[in-house]
Amino acid sequence: MAKPLMIALDFPSGEEALAFLSRFDEPSKLTVKVGMELFYEEGPSIIEKIKALGCDIFLDLKLFDIPNTVKQASKRLAKLGVNYMTVHGLGGSEMIAAAREGLDEGAKEAGVEAPTLLAVTELTSISDDVLKNEQNVDLPMKEMVLSLARTARGAGADGVVCSSQELETLNNALDDGFFYLVPGIRLPEDGVQDQKRVASPTFARENGASAIVVGRPITKNAYVKEAYDRYLSDWEG
């Protein structure tokens, strides 16, 4: 899928994640997100099991540490053969560049393709009020996200994770070819839960998203395949 809809496998165990994937007739057509909850519970073995089903994998661990630590972690994670990986953009240009080096080195050693490196900007759970009064950032949200995206691009990242609300600003300010992954996706009939900056798949597509992530509206739905098809149809237009 050129512009994937990624399903967030936010399950407490590998058994539950694999049971969920078994409900699809062709899991090899899926792109899935493995985040902290599942990876910290199961470790690298869950990546191997999901890869065996043929899924593309977005490993979302948001690495955030000193550059050398991030480089060494990235080098090892690249050997797992995942397709996408994240660092936190607030770690700065040196850290992002170190992640890029680690991914490239690890992938070369393992004989696999290096993952697409994405820098997380501001989480979709962060509101303007939190940005200003807790993070003490004077910039408006869109300008803050743009600043982080420019830093990430200059340091060798392939794209960023951002909300749909910043897409227009980013697409207007940055060159073509940068990858925009958008979480916080909800259809109008689904609740926003703990997300603050949300939008529909259609809105994300029309404003230049490269990929979207959908979690609970699909994984917690009694009719999983039908929910996935609804979101996919809206995303593909």
Side-chain angles (χ1 to χ4, degrees):
M1 192 184 300
K3 290 192 170 186
L5 186 166
M6 304 179 179
I7 305 175
L9 300 181
D10 294 328
F11 294 99
S13 71
E15 182 180 4
E16 291 172 81
L18 294 171
F20 168 81
L21 291 173
S22 73
R23 299 171 70 178
F24 290 87
D25 297 327
E26 297 182 282
S28 61
K29 292 185 177 181
L30 301 177
T31 301
V32 299
K33 186 195 87 163
V34 174
M36 297 178 189
E37 180 181 16
L38 184 56
F39 191 79
Y40 292 164
E41 176 66 23
E42 300 290 342
S45 66
I46 191 61
I47 302 298
E48 297 173 6
K49 292 173 183 177
I50 294 172
K51 282 184 64 179
L53 298 174
C55 302
D56 282 352
I57 301 175
F58 165 37
L59 183 57
D60 185 24
L61 301 182
K62 301 179 180 69
L63 301 184
F64 192 178
D65 211 313
I66 63 172
N68 185 62
T69 297
V70 169
K71 177 180 177 178
Q72 298 307 322
S74 298
K75 185 174 181 178
R76 284 151 181 80
L77 294 174
K79 295 179 181 181
L80 298 177
V82 298
N83 305 89
Y84 309 86
M85 205 196 79
T86 49
V87 296
H88 210 301
L90 289 171
S93 59
E94 187 179 354
M95 188 202 78
I96 297 169
R100 173 80 278 158
E101 291 177 12
L103 291 180
D104 292 343
E105 290 179 12
K108 184 177 181 180
E109 288 182 10
V112 298
E113 186 175 346
T116 296
L117 175 59
L118 304 173
V120 176
T121 56
E122 289 288 346
L123 301 175
T124 52
S125 59
I126 299 296
S127 65
D128 291 303
D129 180 68
V130 170
L131 183 71
K132 180 179 180 180
N133 296 310
E134 295 184 19
Q135 295 187 3
N136 298 309
V137 174
D138 291 331
L139 293 174
M141 181 69 73
K142 291 180 181 178
E143 291 185 25
M144 178 60 177
V145 170
L146 176 58
S147 176
L148 290 169
R150 281 177 168 150
T151 297
R153 181 158 195 161
D158 300 299
V160 292
V161 181
C162 63
S163 91
S164 58
Q165 296 176 17
E166 293 91 49
L167 283 170
E168 183 178 6
T169 298
L170 293 172
N171 276 294
N172 288 338
L174 301 176
D175 297 333
D176 292 338
F178 211 44
F179 194 98
Y180 302 109
L181 176 58
V182 180
I185 296 296
R186 296 288 187 274
L187 287 171
E189 59 266 33
D190 295 323
V192 301
Q193 288 140 347
D194 57 352
Q195 306 282 2
K196 298 295 189 299
R197 299 176 353 262
V198 302
S200 69
T202 294
F203 183 91
R205 169 173 47 82
E206 291 178 346
N207 283 274
S210 307
I212 58 173
V213 179
V214 184
R216 286 165 286 184
I218 295 175
T219 59
K220 302 300 183 184
N221 198 296
Y223 303 96
V224 166
K225 290 190 290 184
E226 290 83 353
Y228 174 78
D229 288 341
R230 258 190 317 125
Y231 274 85
L232 185 63
S233 177
D234 201 75
W235 170 234
E236 293 184 337

